[in-house]
Amino acid sequence: MAAVLHSAPRFASNEGVKDALSTALGAMLVSAKEEHGEIVLTVKRASIEDVLRLLRDEHDYQQLMEMAGVDYPGRAERFEVVYMLLSLTRNHRVMVKVSTDEATPVPTVTTLWPNAGWLEREVFDMFGVLFDGNTDLRRILTDYGFEGHPFRKDFPLTGYHELRYSEEEKRVVYEPVQLAQDFRSFDFMSPWEGADYILPGDEKADVPPVAEPMTTEKPSQTGAGAKADAKAAEKKSAGAPAEKDSDTKDAGAPDPTEDRPDEPARKGSVTGTKAATETDKKEEGE
């Protein structure tokens, strides 16, 4: 069978890719590095559309595979938008990053890939990043009327609102989250070892002091008090009637079979099984 040749290599190499792309991007590039076996390019936010068009048209990264958001609350520009590109002809991937804040929009790349519209909507829904030029920037994962962006680090785990279906209003209603009880502080101690402090409510418990174990020297001492000891020392009643001796002699076991007399002889001319069978055959022949 002839070998099948393909233009794309089986294993992609990063050798020379970072330097070549860095040179091609020029002033639009902020930084470039190779990390975890991938080429990562950080570019200027305003130049993202030009950067991706250059990578698509001149360096054969034809497909936008995915977009993702990352939140770093400690940074001035807390959000990163990450674009994952794939070259089908070279079997190679690169990651392109831009930074932004809550108010500054990122230029849309829906002009380059139609699927970017759905991906930008997801980043907007989860992180609140705005995309300038996206004509359909709506929420895509959360429900109608949802407030906040769930993937932000400062978003509360319980959310701001809860929803339920109201039988009275016959629709889904939103209500502020009301916790059934306040959050408690745990010291992460083992419950079997016990805490070093008195928990609220424990001071009301009436727990008797633990005494030393009771030991007894005689069976009559039960350890339950003088009255119980006197009861235990009482003499027991007589035994059951079956335990008393009787004048009736026990019949005993039957005599052995060998000592029994022989049974009387059987009436008739034939006593053996074989002779009886032969007699029956003779009678049938007659």
Side-chain angles (χ1 to χ4, degrees):
M1 183 177 179
V4 178
L5 301 179
H6 198 278
S7 59
R10 179 171 297 182
F11 299 101
S13 174
N14 291 333
E15 184 178 357
V17 175
K18 184 183 72 172
D19 296 337
L21 296 182
S22 299
T23 303
L25 296 179
M28 297 183 292
L29 182 69
V30 176
S31 65
K33 62 181 179 180
E34 181 176 349
E35 191 174 28
H36 305 298
E38 293 184 322
I39 303 298
V40 182
L41 306 172
T42 303
V43 301
K44 295 180 179 179
R45 179 178 57 251
S47 305
I48 184 61
E49 184 180 1
D50 295 333
V51 169
L52 297 185
R53 180 182 288 108
L54 179 68
L55 295 175
R56 185 194 66 177
D57 297 343
E58 298 185 16
H59 295 273
D60 300 330
Y61 290 95
Q62 299 96 343
Q63 290 191 357
L64 174 65
M65 302 301 297
E66 182 61 279
M67 286 179 60
V70 189
D71 184 15
Y72 298 96
R75 297 181 182 178
E77 294 185 339
R78 61 183 294 183
F79 301 115
E80 278 189 354
V81 181
V82 186
Y83 303 80
M84 291 80 158
L85 304 182
L86 170 66
S87 172
L88 297 175
T89 54
R90 299 168 56 191
N91 190 21
H92 194 266
R93 297 174 183 264
V94 293
M95 297 174 60
V96 182
K97 295 182 179 182
V98 296
S99 299
T100 188
D101 54 25
E102 301 179 23
T104 307
V106 177
T108 184
V109 294
T110 52
T111 55
L112 304 176
W113 293 284
N115 67 316
W118 292 72
L119 301 176
E120 289 177 355
R121 285 178 60 185
E122 182 178 352
V123 176
F124 162 72
D125 192 1
M126 298 291 102
F127 294 92
V129 176
L130 302 174
F131 291 91
D132 186 21
N134 189 320
T135 58
D136 190 24
L137 196 62
R138 297 175 291 131
R139 290 186 180 270
I140 192 172
L141 296 178
T142 56
D143 201 357
Y144 299 104
F146 189 88
E147 296 182 9
H149 304 281
F151 280 7
R152 288 188 179 184
K153 296 292 180 62
D154 54 3
F155 188 81
L157 296 180
T158 55
Y160 295 103
H161 292 82
E162 59 185 0
L163 65 152
R164 64 177 179 85
Y165 181 78
S166 174
E167 288 289 348
E168 298 176 357
E169 302 183 26
K170 301 300 181 183
R171 66 181 182 89
V172 176
V173 296
Y174 284 79
E175 298 173 339
V177 172
Q178 296 180 355
L179 299 179
Q181 60 183 359
D182 295 335
F183 287 110
R184 295 181 176 179
S185 298
F186 296 93
D187 55 6
F188 301 103
M189 289 183 61
S190 171
W192 306 112
E193 297 174 359
D196 296 334
Y197 50 87
I198 299 177
L199 296 175
D202 286 356
E203 68 278 0
K204 302 176 184 178
D206 185 14
V207 181
V210 179
E212 295 182 1
M214 205 88 164
T215 58
T216 57
E217 298 178 359
K218 294 185 291 185
S220 60
Q221 296 178 346
T222 63
K227 189 178 291 187
D229 290 346
K231 188 72 175 175
E234 291 180 0
K235 194 172 183 180
K236 300 297 181 183
S237 60
E243 298 177 359
K244 297 180 179 180
D245 294 336
S246 175
D247 296 336
T248 306
K249 188 178 180 181
D250 189 2
D255 298 333
T257 307
E258 293 79 5
D259 299 338
R260 293 181 183 180
D262 296 336
E263 294 183 358
R266 183 178 174 184
K267 295 181 179 181
S269 57
V270 179
T271 58
T273 304
K274 182 177 180 180
T277 305
E278 292 176 353
T279 303
D280 294 340
K281 290 181 178 180
K282 290 179 181 179
E283 293 176 355
E284 289 178 1
E286 294 176 356

